[in-house]
Amino acid sequence: VGLNSDDLIIENKQASGDMIFDTNSIERLRIASGGAANFTGDVVVNNSLSFSTNGFADFGNIGTGAMRFKPSGNILALTLTGANATFAGDVEIGGFDDGSNYNLTLGWNAVSTQAVGTKRSALTFKTSQTGVNNEDIYKWDIAMVTAPATASSEPFGSDLAFLRSTRNSTSVDQTTMILTQQGNVGIGNSLNINKLDVSGNINIQGGNGGFLTFNNGDANIVISNNGTGRDLVFKTYNPDLSLIHI
């Protein structure tokens, strides 16, 4: 122990020796000769914890357990297990109406070969229940899936798909809707789809005047009220010559 100007210095003169602080004959803090400090109990910070490195400031667990964060009222908010993060509450990115834009980016692994339809990165909504209400949804995925290549220099491409799994088939990802890399949309169909391809029924509501239009209005199929019911009217760009009521 010594003084250097206004500083109090506690020093171990042995080059390879550690400094050990005990209370009640139990080691509480060890400062290794290389500079690492190891606490054997809780560390309470009543104000700020700051880092001054220009590189990486790491929080690490050299054991096999998870790291948990309880920021307020000792309530669990975040658990880190391996490379996975589990949030116990809402996640907000950026501020609302603060004039800034924010991005959430999901990376994906660019492997050399992959079967068409393979799920890659995904945003998943999932329940913990299985084996009950078997046809109910177990999880939804908004996922990037492997698609056929569009260039000779690429092994494959990528589509965006909405996938669903039921509670009795939790490992099955059924494609409900897909947006292809060419800009085509398939609902209930993911093979050889057109700009819009629907496998199933389409219901157009809106009462009188609901319509399906082609080429920005050059032709229309319109629902028209005839006074006692509704007709299906076919119109083209020349309403005087091409008007069919069914």
Side-chain angles (χ1 to χ4, degrees):
V1 178
L3 291 174
N4 180 8
S5 184
D6 294 329
D7 298 328
L8 174 63
I9 300 175
I10 303 175
E11 182 179 4
N12 185 349
K13 294 291 187 178
Q14 300 297 321
S16 59
D18 296 345
M19 295 185 63
I20 302 172
F21 294 83
D22 292 358
T23 61
N24 196 26
S25 299
I26 299 174
E27 181 178 322
R28 308 298 185 181
L29 169 63
R30 178 184 292 262
I31 302 177
S33 58
N38 297 303
F39 294 87
T40 58
D42 295 336
V43 178
V44 179
V45 180
N46 291 321
N47 201 329
S48 299
L49 179 63
S50 300
F51 300 89
S52 60
T53 178
N54 292 323
F56 294 101
D58 294 332
F59 284 91
N61 180 4
I62 61 175
T64 59
M67 294 182 64
R68 303 196 301 173
F69 292 83
K70 301 179 178 181
S72 179
N74 205 33
I75 298 174
L76 179 63
L78 170 62
T79 302
L80 302 179
T81 306
N84 300 317
T86 302
F87 292 88
D90 297 335
V91 178
E92 178 182 328
I93 300 175
F96 295 109
D97 300 323
D98 63 356
S100 299
N101 297 317
Y102 302 94
N103 300 310
L104 176 63
T105 301
L106 300 180
W108 53 275
N109 184 22
V111 297
S112 58
T113 59
Q114 203 164 49
V116 170
T118 301
K119 183 173 70 173
R120 307 170 86 185
S121 296
L123 179 63
T124 301
F125 305 86
K126 184 170 67 172
T127 179
S128 62
Q129 293 181 322
T130 59
V132 294
N133 301 324
N134 282 341
E135 297 307 314
D136 198 359
I137 296 298
Y138 169 68
K139 69 180 176 70
W140 282 102
D141 286 316
I142 303 174
M144 177 187 290
V145 296
T146 306
T150 56
S152 58
S153 60
E154 297 178 352
F156 52 80
S158 298
D159 293 339
L160 184 67
F162 288 77
L163 310 173
R164 65 189 292 269
S165 300
T166 57
R167 294 183 181 182
N168 64 340
S169 301
T170 58
S171 61
V172 176
D173 292 315
Q174 179 183 353
T175 301
T176 302
M177 183 171 72
I178 191 166
L179 173 62
T180 73
Q181 54 195 340
Q182 291 88 4
N184 299 338
V185 177
I187 301 175
N189 180 25
S190 59
L191 298 174
N192 302 318
I193 62 177
N194 300 290
K195 280 300 179 185
L196 176 61
D197 204 317
V198 179
S199 294
N201 298 325
I202 299 176
N203 184 25
I204 300 177
Q205 298 190 23
N208 189 43
F211 64 89
L212 181 64
T213 188
F214 302 89
N215 196 29
N216 294 325
D218 281 354
N220 293 299
I221 302 175
V222 185
I223 300 172
S224 177
N225 193 331
N226 62 16
T228 58
R230 287 182 171 81
D231 294 339
L232 197 59
V233 182
F234 292 79
K235 297 181 178 181
T236 67
Y237 66 93
N238 189 340
D240 295 329
L241 299 178
S242 52
L243 185 63
I244 302 175
H245 284 256
I246 297 177

